Every structure is written in C-alpha cells, then in structure tokens.
C-alpha cells in the first residue's frame, strides 16, 4: 500500500526543468526574426527591380 502512495507522490511532484528550454526559445525567436528580415529584404529587392 505504501508503494502506491510513493508512486503518487513521485507522479505529482514538480516536473523536472528542461535545461534547453530557454536557449531553444531564444534560438527560435532569433531564427524567426532572421527569416522575417530576409523576406522583407527580398520584398524590397523585388519592388526596386520592378520600379526601375
């Protein structure tokens, strides 16, 4: 019976923190900003090419 409560206590404990969560979020944010900048730059290049 005690083993059941031990398993419940382990299951309800705070989840382990992920060491890579913060760097992953920073990398995804940087990649998003980079590709947004590339898309805007390509858009300006197309407009300038069409305009003359």
């Amino acid at each position: 019976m005690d083993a059941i409560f031990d398993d419940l206590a382990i299951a309800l404990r705070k989840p382990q923190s992920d060491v890579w969560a913060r760097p992953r979020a920073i990398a995804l944010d940087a990649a998003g900003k980079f590709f947004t900048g590339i898309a805007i730059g390509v858009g300006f290049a197309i407009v300038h090419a069409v305009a003359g």
Side-chain angles (χ1 to χ4, degrees):
M1 189 75 173
D2 288 335
I4 294 172
F5 292 118
D6 289 339
D7 291 340
L8 283 174
I10 291 170
L12 294 175
R13 229 183 277 160
K14 184 176 118 179
Q16 298 293 328
S17 63
D18 185 13
V19 176
W20 292 102
R22 185 168 172 85
R24 187 181 307 122
I26 292 170
L28 285 174
D29 184 47
K33 289 177 181 177
F34 175 75
F35 287 115
T36 301
I38 294 294
I40 291 171
V42 168
F44 278 129
I46 291 171
V47 167
H48 282 283
V50 170

